[in-house]
């Protein structure tokens, strides 16, 4: 079998017999007023973080969710878009489509606001999304794209870019590796299907997003995910995997490169009330201003004695400039 067939077989098995805690970060699903998540959905929470960011979900956006899993995040997205077909869930594994359909029917009995027709589950895969060009506001995936080999990841990212409207958002949660994963683990198809051996480094991952055409990336969370210990995985040293939640925007890439926000700020400490770098960035004395990493690097070299650049917090929720 190809590695994708191995992954499909693995997820057929865990659709039919849920594997509690398979790859999820050890935290409870996001809770919203009036939303009750059925237990079967929680047991099939095969994600590594969250792609549901309430600040992105105003005006009832149309969401394309790639890899429906047990339907948990599809239900959460429907909470913000309460209309027929607002959430389109694409899933290649028939058993997973069936499980998600059952779980959403349970959700309808436990949530008076929810109608199963809010979520339309379609067969398909990340490389051939069954929707028109520029037709959705949000594409989301949780702990799926990390399974793909690098060139397949690029295909999936470009396909997400195709279906997004201008200004649309790609909301993802994936494991990343703190150093390159050795070849012998990358070639282990079972570990890849389990989200343990396909992760790229942060730098490789974000560059793939940019190469697909996305001009801005915002990091919403970065936290420890799993440890591949040296003895079990035949490594020279322990290898830490992290979970990265990001939002990438379908906007033009600026001439000086894409903007990546990781929570850095710039603080002007000079004598004047304001500092103007002549490139559109005004800093008030003593007031931290959110900046993208690219702008942070430029400001740090422009006035190193008067501008303090704070470290990445790996959490960013808007504001600032690039």
């Amino acid at each position: 079998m190809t590695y994708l067939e191995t992954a499909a077989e693995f997820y057929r098995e865990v659709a039919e017999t849920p594997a509690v805690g398979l790859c999820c970060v050890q935290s409870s699903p996001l809770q919203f007023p009036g939303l009750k998540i059925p237990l079967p959905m929680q047991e099939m929470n095969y994600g590594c973080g969250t792609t549901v960011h309430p600040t992105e979900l105003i005006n009832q956006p149309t969401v394309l969710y790639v890899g429906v899993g047990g339907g948990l995040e599809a239900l959460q997205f429907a909470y913000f878009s309460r209309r027929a077909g607002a959430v389109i869930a694409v899933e290649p594994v028939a058993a997973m489509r069936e499980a998600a359909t059952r779980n959403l029917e349970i959700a309808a009995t436990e949530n008076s606001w929810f109608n199963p027709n809010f979520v339309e589950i379609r067969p398909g895969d990340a490389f051939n999304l069954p929707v028109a060009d520029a037709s959705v506001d949000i594409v989301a995936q949780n702990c799926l794209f990390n399974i793909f080999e690098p060139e397949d990841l690029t295909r999936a990212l470009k396909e997400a870019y195709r279906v997004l409207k201008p200004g649309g958002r790609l909301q993802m949660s994936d494991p990343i590796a703190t150093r390159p994963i050795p070849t012998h683990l990358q070639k282990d198809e079972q570990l890849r299907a389990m989200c343990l051996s396909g992760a790229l480094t942060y730098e490789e991952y974000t560059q793939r997003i940019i190469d697909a055409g996305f001009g801005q990336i915002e990091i919403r969370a970065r936290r420890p995910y799993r440890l591949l210990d040296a003895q079990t995985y035949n490594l020279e040293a322990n290898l830490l995997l992290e979970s990265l939640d990001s939002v990438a925007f379908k906007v033009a890439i600026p001439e000086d490169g894409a903007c990546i926000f990781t929570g850095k700020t710039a603080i002007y400490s000079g004598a004047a009330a304001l500092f103007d770098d002549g490139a559109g960035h005004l800093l008030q004395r003593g007031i931290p201003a959110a900046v993208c990493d690219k702008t942070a690097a430029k400001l740090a070299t422009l006035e190193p004695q008067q501008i303090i650049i704070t470290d990445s917090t790996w959490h960013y929720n808007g504001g600032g400039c690039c």
Side-chain angles (χ1 to χ4, degrees), residues 46-307:
Y46 302 147
C48 67
T50 185
T51 67
V52 183
H53 307 293
T55 56
E56 307 292 340
L57 299 175
I58 60 172
N59 300 323
Q60 298 199 74
T62 299
V63 179
L64 176 63
Y65 195 85
V66 188
V68 70
L72 188 152
E73 289 197 335
L75 175 64
Q76 291 174 326
F77 277 116
Y79 178 87
F80 295 93
S81 295
R82 302 183 183 188
R83 54 184 173 81
V87 180
I88 303 165
V90 177
E91 173 59 56
V93 179
M96 197 65 80
R97 295 195 300 269
E98 294 166 3
T101 298
R102 290 194 302 269
N103 291 344
L104 289 168
E105 290 172 351
I106 296 171
T109 67
E110 298 182 1
N111 294 272
S112 60
W113 59 268
F114 178 66
N115 188 316
N117 71 16
F118 293 174
V119 180
E120 180 184 346
I121 301 178
R122 300 180 184 178
D125 59 48
F127 311 126
N128 298 283
L129 297 173
V131 296
D133 294 358
S135 60
V136 300
D137 300 295
I138 293 170
V139 174
Q141 68 82 23
N142 194 331
C143 214
L144 169 66
F145 282 16
N146 77 97
I147 293 174
F148 298 149
E149 292 181 350
E151 294 312 310
D152 285 339
L153 171 60
T154 293
R155 288 173 58 201
L157 291 169
K158 288 183 176 179
E159 183 69 352
Y161 187 91
R162 175 187 70 82
V163 304
L164 281 170
K165 297 176 183 177
R169 300 172 294 280
L170 173 61
Q171 302 181 188
M172 303 197 293
S173 182
D174 276 310
I176 57 171
T178 51
R179 69 174 189 272
I181 291 180
T183 303
H184 74 279
L185 294 185
Q186 293 183 35
K187 291 182 177 180
D188 188 316
E189 294 180 355
Q190 190 74 5
L191 289 180
R192 184 177 284 273
M194 295 173 65
C195 305
L196 292 177
S197 68
L200 300 176
T201 65
Y202 168 80
E203 292 77 14
E204 292 170 328
Y205 183 82
T206 52
Q207 190 59 53
R208 292 268 172 180
I209 299 171
I210 294 166
D211 290 345
F214 294 91
Q216 181 169 318
I217 303 172
E218 299 177 359
I219 304 302
R220 297 300 168 82
R222 181 176 177 176
R223 53 190 174 266
Y225 168 62
R226 289 289 189 275
L227 182 72
L228 304 183
D229 67 272
Q231 182 175 356
T232 302
Y233 296 96
N234 191 25
L235 299 169
E236 293 183 359
N238 294 338
L239 198 166
L240 177 66
L241 302 183
E242 298 176 320
S243 172
L244 188 78
D245 294 355
S246 65
V247 179
F249 291 78
K250 186 177 179 177
V251 297
I253 299 175
E255 291 184 3
D256 60 348
C259 302
I260 304 179
F261 287 86
T262 64
K264 289 182 183 291
T265 68
I267 310 172
Y268 172 59
S269 62
L274 289 172
F275 173 81
D276 185 348
D277 72 347
H281 307 111
L282 285 175
L283 303 179
Q284 292 180 267
R285 185 177 60 228
I287 305 296
V291 291
C292 73
D293 291 7
K294 175 184 63 180
T295 296
K298 290 179 179 178
L299 291 172
T301 59
L302 189 63
E303 290 288 347
Q305 303 303 316
Q306 296 185 348
I307 298 178

